[in-house]
Amino acid sequence: MILVLTNLLLLFVVLVSSNGEDRRIYLILLEGDPVAFHQVKIFSEEVVKLNSKSEASKAYANQLTKSHDEFLQRYLKTGSYDKIYSFNHIVNGIAVHTTSSQIQNLKNASRVKLLEEDRRVKHMTTYTPQFLGIPAAWTQEGGDRNAGEGIVIGFIDSGINPEHPSFAYDPTINNPFRFTFDNFSGACEEGPLFPQTSCNGKIVSARFFSAGAQTTTTLNDSVDILSPFDVVGHGSHVASTAAGNFGVPVVVNGLYYGRATGMAPQARIAVYKAIYPSIGTLSDVLAAIDQAVLDGVDILSLSIGPEEPPEDTITLLSLFEIFMLAAHKAGTLVVQAAGNEGPSPYSVISYSPWAVGVASCDTDRTYPATLILGNGLKIAGVGLSGATVGDRLIQYNKLVLAKDAIKINTSLPKIANNSEECQYAEAFDPLVVQGNVVICTFSAGFYNGTSTLTAIIHTATFLQFRAFVFVANPTYGDFIAEPIPFATPAIIIPTTTDTQNILQYYERETIRDKNGLVVRYGGRAAISEGRNASYKGRAPIVSRFSSRGPNYIDRSRNPTDVLKPDILAPGHQIWAAWSPMSVFNPILSGHNFALMSGTSMATPHIAGVAALIKQYNPSWTPSMIASAISTTASTYDNLGEPIMAHGFDLYSLYASAPFGFGAGLVDPSRALHPGLVFSAGYEDYINFLCSLPNIDSAIVKTATGGVCGQLFENPSDLNLPSITITSLTGSQIVHRTVMNVANKAETYLSAVLPPKGVTVDIKPSWFRISPQGTQHLHIMFNVTQALDDFTFGEIVLTGSLNHVVKMPLSIFPISTT
């Protein structure tokens, strides 16, 4: 998604104190072409690959950088600023460190087109190849030894752990002679924990961007490593999910969990570290996007994004979106996390039709664990731990409630008040808890975030608990529990109903004196093996945390005619590579693999699938790849029923819709052969922006450099593989154009599942289309019943050669006239 900035210069301005003023980061567009589009005529579907090696390109880049310096010298007081970045590849701009009063001088400068303050960015934080049917797609690519060969996926994230086996270089598999760098030229920026040899052929480039972070806060030298090395684990996780090597053994705490494989195991990895433990700034992320497109990555995976919508502009014209549009125009497909603010509506943070927004779902794999009480009652829970065993049999041990095991003379209020949460080993009588199963309770400390499972594990290990049970508290209600690898037997019971059953049994079996002190612990309990996977669950189910549509155009959440999210992929409980430093998750410290959840985890699945499609169809544009992924997706689960979603009520399901799953669950094998595609290019996106209600074409030109051409009758006429109408009054005709990308002519028949309260008529109702031919479709929507919310349907084009093309419909019928 590269934006054609024919008349733009982006200036980033950072503020630091000067004469007592605070400094911030600002993004400013100025007139002038970036290198990518300098003196080049771009048509809507022409793919432009940057020739960064040409002397002309280098000379023009230097010219732009010099002009940035001259511009700052002209308008800003000497000594009041420091230039942070010059952007000159896909947008033309600068990053500057200065004061707010100095910024006022730039607002009225003749060359300034747009100014935006920097925002914080954050992470949107195996078995899935089999779940998605990836091996069938690999077969079409020549098997796992060839899947993704010749494709470079760029990852803007927290870096990478180069020592991980998922990123090892095997010359017998990663054949250097099959991979050419004609369209890619990266660099290996070495630094602490990241020697030059880290770029080994699997990792073909690695860079880091820290100027924004360094000027915004004081970095912590022990964790904010200034190199591409990943101290968090997040960047390694997403990179291995998309492009990790085939069949890497997953071993955690000495147990083998299976083998992890990326979606495109032979794709190459380009790393752009822009997020640090202390901070993530938009300026660093945009610098990384600019560089990644210049380097020539084929796919750009963004499991990160701004924390909130822009303040002073519409969502579609923030600089983050503009950079992604620029990447699209240069021929790079951008795949973006939809966000983790679900299940609330209007919570997506992926807004643009030129980026693929990815929602998250569960797979059918679970890790069931069971607490077995002495009376035979079995209670299901969560926890990746071994069983309490003795002589190879399940062993029952004494059951002890944590608050009953406190030292009688404990006088420290902090320790005494948190005793039921098992946070402090010194609070307990070792003779009471050693060798026993201890019940720890979710209480105020966990509710306000001051207590941790890591502290419970430390307490259990130090005092030699036989096991611990972490239970929900009726005062605070049920909570969501994720499987965590425990080195000692343990289980999490996240529902208050189960907690009450445990405590009732405990009290019946426990004898107390007249003061309420325990004189005999009669209860017994055991924990079963919790590390064996089960594949019996319903799937896919839209994850509770996955952000929902409808898409919106401003901070007031006014909806817009673009479906978001676009597609659904596994993002819940995903095994992938990790960094042993694990600075954000001490419980995973020392581990090479982690089981993580988030739209961050779903996004690289789509990036990997896109790499397979690009390899199979190298001439396809980003919009063609996105269309193929969308139109071949499935809206049904493994039971043959419509996809369900987790809702606000914990452990509840309800029928999902396109605002939850987009077009549906990705089907990689079918996406290689979609039959028809809906194609859109840069000029189409400009016309779409100019067609938005209450948008001045001058604003569009200012932000993008594009000139409004033939406007659409409605924004919904943008040639997307979905139709969204946020305000349908009476009737409306929507236009679409399909292209046959198969190698044979085919006849298609149209069918409609109409949204409630709306009739849908497609003309022509059937058509025959030759290879590379196009067909225009005119789709009439007519309101028969006004409703107070969106209603959903689907158009299906069925081909005579078994291609099936689906388009989700999301319509808000306002009135019949």
Side-chain angles (χ1 to χ4, degrees):
M1 301 182 193
I2 185 165
L3 157 71
V4 163
L5 295 177
T6 53
N7 291 303
L8 303 173
L9 163 32
L10 177 70
L11 174 68
F12 268 22
V13 191
V14 188
L15 299 127
V16 172
S17 64
S18 173
N19 299 324
E21 291 186 72
D22 290 334
R23 295 187 178 187
R24 301 173 185 173
I25 298 177
Y26 288 89
L27 315 178
I28 306 171
L29 287 174
L30 303 178
E31 294 177 347
D33 291 344
V35 173
F37 314 115
H38 179 54
Q39 295 180 344
V40 176
K41 175 64 177 177
I42 303 300
F43 296 96
S44 61
E45 276 305 294
E46 183 178 349
V47 176
V48 177
K49 278 291 184 180
L50 308 186
N51 183 7
S52 61
K53 299 178 181 179
S54 74
E55 292 302 320
S57 292
K58 294 177 182 178
Y60 184 62
N62 291 334
Q63 178 183 331
L64 286 179
T65 300
K66 182 180 179 181
S67 72
H68 300 164
D69 295 334
E70 292 172 347
F71 178 84
L72 295 176
Q73 292 167 7
R74 177 180 179 184
Y75 288 101
L76 301 183
K77 182 180 178 180
T78 302
S80 69
Y81 70 91
D82 294 295
K83 188 180 75 169
I84 306 303
Y85 288 116
S86 277
F87 298 94
N88 49 33
H89 305 311
I90 59 175
V91 296
N92 191 357
I94 315 169
V96 177
H97 199 217
T98 188
T99 65
S100 58
S101 61
Q102 291 295 307
I103 287 300
Q104 297 303 315
N105 298 331
L106 296 179
K107 287 184 177 180
N108 297 321
S110 59
R111 294 174 59 193
V112 173
K113 294 297 183 182
L114 185 123
L115 187 151
E116 179 182 316
E117 187 174 338
D118 188 87
R119 291 176 283 159
R120 299 292 178 267
V121 292
K122 62 180 180 180
H123 293 125
M124 302 297 163
T125 283
T126 172
Y127 157 70
T128 46
Q130 285 70 36
F131 177 73
L132 293 176
I134 277 282
W138 289 344
T139 299
Q140 299 176 62
E141 302 280 8
D144 61 82
R145 295 174 68 91
N146 191 55
E149 185 67 49
I151 303 299
V152 179
I153 307 177
F155 300 91
I156 298 179
D157 213 287
S158 62
I160 197 167
N161 173 13
E163 300 300 321
H164 198 282
S166 289
F167 312 123
Y169 177 74
D170 184 346
T172 66
I173 298 176
N174 306 115
N175 188 339
F177 299 105
R178 287 192 298 172
F179 181 75
T180 64
F181 289 85
D182 292 343
N183 296 321
F184 181 83
S185 60
C188 195
E189 297 180 357
E190 58 185 317
L193 305 177
F194 204 89
Q196 191 75 24
T197 54
S198 298
C199 297
N200 56 7
K202 175 65 174 178
I203 301 172
V204 294
S205 181
R207 305 177 187 268
F208 67 99
F209 301 83
S210 62
Q214 289 180 285
T215 56
T216 303
T217 191
T218 301
L219 298 184
N220 183 339
D221 292 341
S222 64
V223 295
D224 295 314
I225 306 298
L226 296 182
S227 80
F229 185 80
D230 180 17
V231 301
V232 174
H234 190 275
S236 302
H237 198 283
V238 299
S240 66
T241 300
N245 287 330
F246 177 81
V248 178
V250 178
V251 179
V252 177
N253 289 330
L255 186 79
Y256 172 72
Y257 283 90
R259 292 182 180 272
T261 300
M263 297 293 101
Q266 294 310 311
R268 302 309 204 269
I269 293 170
V271 179
Y272 301 88
K273 179 176 176 179
I275 307 293
Y276 295 82
S278 294
I279 195 172
T281 67
L282 186 56
S283 54
D284 289 334
V285 170
L286 297 187
I289 294 175
D290 196 41
Q291 185 64 57
V293 178
L294 172 70
D295 288 346
V297 300
D298 297 289
I299 314 294
L300 191 57
S301 181
L302 298 176
S303 288
I304 59 173
E307 296 180 343
E308 57 186 1
E311 291 186 6
D312 302 323
T313 185
I314 64 173
T315 55
L316 297 167
L317 289 180
S318 74
L319 284 174
F320 187 60
E321 307 301 319
I322 288 173
F323 267 72
M324 291 193 293
L325 177 56
H328 186 288
K329 182 174 182 291
T332 300
L333 175 67
V334 179
V335 184
Q336 179 189 17
N340 293 339
E341 302 302 322
S344 299
Y346 294 95
S347 57
V348 291
I349 63 163
S350 174
Y351 313 114
S352 301
W354 48 82
V356 179
V358 186
S360 167
C361 71
D362 302 0
T363 70
D364 59 355
R365 182 185 62 194
T366 59
Y367 289 93
T370 306
L371 175 69
I372 309 172
L373 301 179
N375 61 359
L377 180 64
K378 295 182 179 181
I379 297 176
V382 178
L384 296 176
S385 84
T388 53
V389 295
D391 296 326
R392 299 183 181 180
L393 299 174
I394 291 289
Q395 183 179 72
Y396 290 81
N397 297 90
K398 189 184 299 180
L399 189 63
V400 176
L401 186 64
K403 65 181 181 181
D404 286 335
I406 300 302
K407 293 176 181 177
I408 297 177
N409 62 349
T410 296
S411 58
L412 296 176
K414 183 176 180 181
I415 293 177
N417 292 340
N418 289 275
S419 60
E420 62 182 341
E421 295 183 329
C422 302
Q423 296 296 291
Y424 301 98
E426 56 267 37
F428 296 98
D429 183 341
L431 298 178
V432 175
V433 297
Q434 184 175 352
N436 296 324
V437 178
V438 179
I439 302 172
C440 307
T441 305
F442 183 105
S443 194
F446 282 97
Y447 186 77
N448 61 33
T450 58
S451 295
T452 67
L453 277 172
T454 303
I456 296 181
I457 294 171
H458 175 265
T459 300
T461 303
F462 186 79
L463 295 177
Q464 299 179 13
F465 292 4
R466 184 66 186 90
F468 71 82
V469 183
F470 182 55
V471 300
N473 188 332
T475 302
Y476 297 95
D478 299 347
F479 61 87
I480 299 291
E482 297 287 348
I484 295 173
F486 294 120
T488 185
I491 190 170
I492 301 173
I493 308 296
T495 64
T496 57
T497 300
D498 288 334
T499 297
Q500 290 169 345
N501 290 332
I502 296 170
L503 295 181
Q504 287 173 4
Y505 165 76
Y506 175 80
E507 291 300 335
R508 283 198 304 268
E509 301 297 325
T510 300
I511 300 175
R512 302 177 184 273
D513 62 19
K514 62 181 180 179
N515 296 318
L517 300 177
V518 176
V519 296
R520 180 178 178 273
Y521 295 95
R524 297 292 184 271
I527 294 175
S528 69
E529 176 63 55
R531 299 171 295 185
N532 295 328
S534 170
Y535 301 91
K536 299 178 181 179
R538 181 174 192 163
I541 300 173
V542 179
S543 304
R544 185 176 188 271
F545 56 77
S546 188
S547 289
R548 309 298 209 266
N551 192 8
Y552 52 93
I553 199 168
D554 52 33
R555 293 176 73 92
S556 298
R557 265 53 178 188
N558 290 306
T560 189
D561 291 353
V562 174
L563 177 63
K564 291 293 175 178
D566 294 280
I567 195 68
L568 185 68
H572 184 240
Q573 298 181 13
I574 305 300
W575 280 114
W578 199 245
S579 170
M581 289 186 69
S582 190
V583 298
F584 283 155
N585 292 278
I587 201 169
L588 301 176
S589 179
H591 293 178
N592 274 323
F593 287 91
L595 192 69
M596 303 298 291
S597 298
T599 52
S600 280
M601 284 66 243
T603 300
H605 283 89
I606 299 301
V609 171
L612 297 178
I613 299 173
K614 181 69 174 178
Q615 179 191 15
Y616 195 78
N617 304 284
S619 65
W620 282 15
T621 64
S623 66
M624 295 169 73
I625 296 172
S627 173
I629 291 172
S630 176
T631 60
T632 57
S634 173
T635 56
Y636 291 90
D637 63 21
N638 56 0
L639 303 180
E641 300 291 333
I643 292 175
M644 303 292 283
H646 293 286
F648 283 100
D649 296 332
L650 301 190
Y651 310 107
S652 66
L653 296 179
Y654 67 96
S656 190
F659 290 163
F661 56 64
L665 179 68
V666 62
D667 186 330
S669 183
R670 290 188 61 225
L672 293 177
H673 305 280
L676 304 176
V677 296
F678 298 82
S679 183
Y682 172 73
E683 292 178 354
D684 298 314
Y685 296 128
I686 296 300
N687 291 335
F688 159 77
L689 290 170
C690 295
S691 302
L692 293 171
N694 303 316
I695 292 295
D696 187 339
S697 61
I699 295 176
V700 176
K701 181 178 180 181
T702 294
T704 67
V707 178
C708 296
Q710 184 176 355
L711 302 187
F712 298 133
E713 293 181 24
N714 297 284
S716 54
D717 281 336
L718 178 62
N719 201 40
L720 298 175
S722 61
I723 297 177
T724 303
I725 304 177
T726 59
S727 180
L728 180 59
T729 301
S731 62
Q732 178 178 325
I733 296 177
V734 174
H735 305 279
R736 287 293 183 271
T737 301
V738 293
M739 176 191 294
N740 183 3
V741 292
N743 57 10
K744 294 181 180 180
E746 190 165 4
T747 300
Y748 282 87
L749 180 66
S750 303
V752 179
L753 177 64
K756 181 181 178 181
V758 180
T759 62
V760 184
D761 183 48
I762 306 174
K763 293 186 183 305
S765 59
W766 69 272
F767 56 90
R768 184 168 179 80
I769 185 169
S770 60
Q772 303 305 308
T774 59
Q775 174 66 53
H776 299 294
L777 302 176
H778 305 277
I779 308 166
M780 170 71 81
F781 294 87
N782 186 65
V783 178
T784 59
Q785 179 186 357
L787 300 174
D788 59 2
D789 203 350
F790 283 89
T791 180
F792 306 97
E794 186 177 57
I795 292 175
V796 181
L797 305 177
T798 304
S800 56
L801 299 179
N802 298 321
H803 290 115
V804 179
V805 179
K806 298 181 179 180
M807 293 179 61
L809 307 176
S810 308
I811 313 296
F812 197 144
I814 298 297
S815 68
T816 57
T817 58

